[in-house]
Amino acid sequence: AGIILAAGASRRMGASVNKLLLEIDGEPIVRRVVRRAIDAGLDPVIVVVGYEPNRIRESLDGLKCTFVENPDYSGPTSGSLHAGLRALDSSVSAAAVMLGDMVHVTTAMLRALQNGLGGDSRLAVSRYGVDAVLAPPLFFRRELWPELLAWSGEGCGKAVVMAHVDEAVMLDWPENALRDIDTPADYEDVRR
């Protein structure tokens, strides 16, 4: 499955701008991310909404995804992650955690992470650049979900990743793939 965290209020973008609805190559950012998750074969794809949920839903019209609302979207990231995990049924053996604004994550990256979950691996982790930054997308097998549900805070479960780093498959990506969009300058840079 895929869990796309798309609930935040985009506070750093300025007044009344929902960054997930800004366009890259004629497509809303969140639609680009959800489409790539679907194209990678993630099923189901859960989109956790909170801020302007109806606008996010409209931007994803026609895509096969399920919406879950996080009413406390101004709280820590863990609330959205928990909402997404709870929406998955017992047939799902692993879930990818993704951010709705990581426009450089590709379908190929997601497929490689899925393939990395073979053997004894309990998680597949993205590692970016020469600084080896660990960040989404992150794939967790079901047996780690109780720890994710017990964890609270920011960072998409990074504490759980660090607790099980010796059981993880690491996939290395260029530093540029980590870039997300938080500010107007970030958006202009990506558009260029």
Side-chain angles (χ1 to χ4, degrees):
I3 300 171
I4 298 171
L5 307 182
S10 307
R11 287 184 289 274
R12 290 181 277 177
M13 284 302 289
S16 70
V17 175
N18 188 330
K19 68 180 177 180
L20 298 181
L21 300 174
L22 297 173
E23 292 190 355
I24 301 288
D25 298 329
E27 181 177 43
I29 289 169
V30 70
R31 187 176 182 89
R32 178 183 178 118
V33 172
V34 171
R35 182 178 49 77
R36 287 179 174 178
I38 292 167
D39 290 348
L42 299 178
D43 186 26
V45 172
I46 306 294
V47 181
V48 183
V49 297
Y51 178 66
E52 298 188 326
N54 292 335
R55 291 185 69 204
I56 297 292
R57 285 183 182 97
E58 288 170 14
S59 76
L60 298 173
D61 188 47
L63 294 181
K64 185 183 174 196
C65 58
T66 301
F67 298 97
V68 175
E69 196 154 341
N70 176 8
D72 186 23
Y73 62 85
S74 62
T77 310
S78 57
S80 290
L81 176 56
H82 296 168
L85 286 170
R86 288 186 182 113
L88 297 173
D89 67 36
S90 61
S91 69
V92 176
S93 62
V97 179
M98 303 171 60
L99 300 179
D101 67 345
M102 290 184 74
V103 297
H104 297 294
V105 170
T106 66
T107 299
M109 289 169 66
L110 293 169
R111 286 184 180 144
L113 284 158
Q114 287 178 80
N115 292 337
L117 275 180
D120 295 332
S121 305
R122 295 173 73 188
L123 62 164
V125 176
S126 293
R127 185 168 53 192
Y128 296 90
V130 295
D131 294 331
V133 175
L134 306 182
L138 307 164
F139 276 75
F140 296 93
R141 286 199 182 273
R142 178 176 281 280
E143 55 262 32
L144 292 178
W145 296 2
E147 290 180 53
L148 290 169
L149 289 166
W151 165 81
S152 64
E154 296 295 338
C156 299
K158 191 168 185 178
V160 176
V161 169
M162 297 313 294
H164 297 278
V165 74
D166 58 326
E167 304 167 64
V169 169
M170 298 286 178
L171 282 93
D172 292 309
W173 311 117
E175 184 177 353
N176 185 52
L178 178 60
R179 291 178 43 218
D180 58 3
I181 298 173
D182 289 324
T183 66
D186 294 339
Y187 179 56
E188 287 306 314
D189 189 43
V190 167
R191 289 180 67 202
R192 268 188 252 114

